[in-house]
Amino acid sequence: MIKKNLKTLVGVYSCALCLMALIVPVSVLASIAQAFPDTPITTIQQIVTLPSLIAIPAGIIVSKFASKIHKKTFALFFTVLYIVGGSMPVWLHSDFSQLLFSAVLVGISLGGLQNAMTTIIPDYFEGEERGTVLGLLSTFVCLGGFIYTSAAATLGAQDWTHAFYAYFIVGIFLVLEIIFLPQGKLEPKAEKGEHVVVPKEIIFLCVFGFVLYTFAQLFNSNEALLVAERGLGGTAEAGMASSAYTLSGLLAGVIVGPLIKVFKKQAPTVTFAFTLIGLVLYAIAPSVPVLCVAGFMIGLGYQSFTPFGGMGAANFSLAMGMAFNMQLCNASSSLGQALSPFTTSFLGNLFGGSITTMIWIGVVAIAILTVCGFLYFNKVDITKPRAIGEGAQE
């Protein structure tokens, strides 16, 4: 089936290559801070963090129109909005509020495009192929991240506003979407008195995703500080570990299919185990190489679990409400990631507040998650569609 739908894959992965454009400002945050010296650094950082938060409600709202508007239409609209909203700072940068407005538009685009991209896959792929296609999204999303990071750093070297020209790279993928992305299927319209059902299997996936993303984010939030605290080096060493974390996404998408073949219904549990191993190494890391391995394992764990959320939502949802349920899984994970600095700091402060303490709390949490996952997935196989005739369970 994959060979028959190669054109569809080109369209879907073109969408995936657009998503990480939101990190364009990262390489020029210091320059932006210099341009707006009266703006708190935490506010400056919102240019990068705000889109992910805005994407959560945006994706859920878009899912409500899945029975009225084709997924390709949504994908093209939000890709265009991505280009327009993301490139705004090239021309509008006299006031910091203009940059925040650009970030809001990027967040809306991110949520809408992500929803259209993921929900179109179950329309054309089934079974293990669906898992493989969903898994490879991570690979292309990360590949896009390298493209935008490199382009923004080069373009913004002399003038930080020029970094935002990198958003025009999205135009290349827009053309591919126009040519190759299929329309997708409209969801059945709800009859009077009908409502979207969220099966209990999807609720479990949302909880698993929230917990996993909460504690996996410990690496991104604290890795540079840990390097300094343990005397392991400086910015260069922290960058090496961060790169290892990012590179894991390229492999995460490739291993989903093999994980299902080898571990079958316990494949999601294996992703928890990857994260657990990474957090243990992170907690004890005596050197930069060990820290790099820790970052790679943590990134591999949470990014390889992501496709299982979409797979489970697609396999256990009724036709009506599938887009909403798939977005619900994405939103719960993203929410865990966004709230992670607050959640982990609060828990850490209960036991002394050090970075190492927070990491060990993460180890305990993911160990519990791994055990719970093993017990749950031993009974529920999210890699296969629900048996015909089996009703959705609220």
Side-chain angles (χ1 to χ4, degrees), residues 207-218:
V207 174
F208 288 155
F210 181 89
V211 174
L212 182 67
Y213 271 59
T214 294
F215 294 101
Q217 184 63 17
L218 276 167

Side-chain angles (χ1 to χ4, degrees), residues 204-248:
F204 272 98
L205 286 172
C206 288
V207 174
F208 288 155
F210 181 89
V211 174
L212 182 67
Y213 271 59
T214 294
F215 294 101
Q217 184 63 17
L218 276 167
F219 190 83
N220 266 346
S221 302
N222 299 282
E223 173 257 334
L225 297 173
L226 191 71
V227 167
E229 181 183 276
R230 296 185 179 176
L232 302 180
T235 303
E237 288 74 16
M240 290 172 59
S242 180
S243 296
Y245 178 89
T246 304
L247 281 170
S248 65

Side-chain angles (χ1 to χ4, degrees), residues 215 218 276 279-281 283 358-368:
F215 294 101
L218 276 167
L276 178 59
L279 282 171
V280 171
L281 292 173
M358 285 193 293
I359 298 172
W360 279 116
I361 290 173
V363 169
V364 173
I366 299 302
I368 294 172

Side-chain angles (χ1 to χ4, degrees), residues 144-194:
F146 285 112
I147 293 172
Y148 298 115
T149 299
S150 303
T154 302
L155 293 169
Q158 300 299 322
D159 186 331
W160 66 266
T161 64
H162 291 178
F164 292 87
Y165 278 121
Y167 273 98
F168 287 110
I169 296 174
V170 176
I172 299 172
F173 306 126
L174 173 63
V175 173
L176 294 176
E177 289 175 26
I178 292 172
I179 297 173
F180 296 107
L181 196 66
Q183 289 289 340
K185 301 174 184 177
L186 292 175
E187 284 190 1
K189 293 183 179 180
E191 301 295 334
K192 187 175 181 180
E194 286 186 328

Side-chain angles (χ1 to χ4, degrees), residues 112-341:
L113 181 58
Q114 185 182 45
N115 181 269
M117 174 189 75
T118 54
T119 57
I120 205 170
I121 292 173
D123 291 345
Y124 299 94
F125 300 93
E126 298 177 353
E128 288 186 8
E129 288 184 342
R130 179 182 293 173
T132 300
V133 174
L134 282 166
L136 284 170
L137 287 177
S138 298
T139 298
F140 283 92
V141 169
C142 289
L143 180 59
F146 285 112
I147 293 172
Y148 298 115
T149 299
S150 303
T154 302
L155 293 169
Q158 300 299 322
D159 186 331
W160 66 266
T161 64
H162 291 178
F164 292 87
Y165 278 121
Y167 273 98
F168 287 110
I169 296 174
V170 176
I172 299 172
F173 306 126
L174 173 63
V175 173
L176 294 176
E177 289 175 26
I178 292 172
I179 297 173
F180 296 107
L181 196 66
Q183 289 289 340
K185 301 174 184 177
L186 292 175
E187 284 190 1
K189 293 183 179 180
E191 301 295 334
K192 187 175 181 180
E194 286 186 328
H195 62 279
V196 172
V197 174
V198 181
K200 66 178 182 180
E201 294 87 355
I202 294 173
I203 294 174
F204 272 98
L205 286 172
C206 288
V207 174
F208 288 155
F210 181 89
V211 174
L212 182 67
Y213 271 59
T214 294
F215 294 101
Q217 184 63 17
L218 276 167
F219 190 83
N220 266 346
S221 302
N222 299 282
E223 173 257 334
L225 297 173
L226 191 71
V227 167
E229 181 183 276
R230 296 185 179 176
L232 302 180
T235 303
E237 288 74 16
M240 290 172 59
S242 180
S243 296
Y245 178 89
T246 304
L247 281 170
S248 65
L250 296 175
L251 179 61
V254 177
I255 68 170
V256 171
L259 282 179
I260 295 174
K261 288 183 179 180
V262 175
F263 296 99
K264 309 211 180 286
K265 61 185 179 182
Q266 285 294 349
T269 308
V270 176
T271 69
F272 300 159
F274 287 158
T275 307
L276 178 59
I277 293 169
L279 282 171
V280 171
L281 292 173
Y282 185 30
I284 64 175
S287 64
V288 172
V290 175
L291 194 63
C292 289
V293 175
F296 187 87
M297 292 301 296
I298 293 170
L300 184 66
Y302 96 85
Q303 293 192 80
S304 57
F305 173 77
T306 303
F308 287 109
M311 190 189 313
N315 286 340
F316 282 87
S317 293
L318 299 175
M320 186 191 74
M322 182 182 294
F324 176 81
N325 286 330
M326 292 184 75
Q327 187 57 38
L328 193 63
C329 285
N330 288 332
S332 60
S333 297
S334 298
L335 185 62
Q337 192 170 38
L339 295 178
S340 175

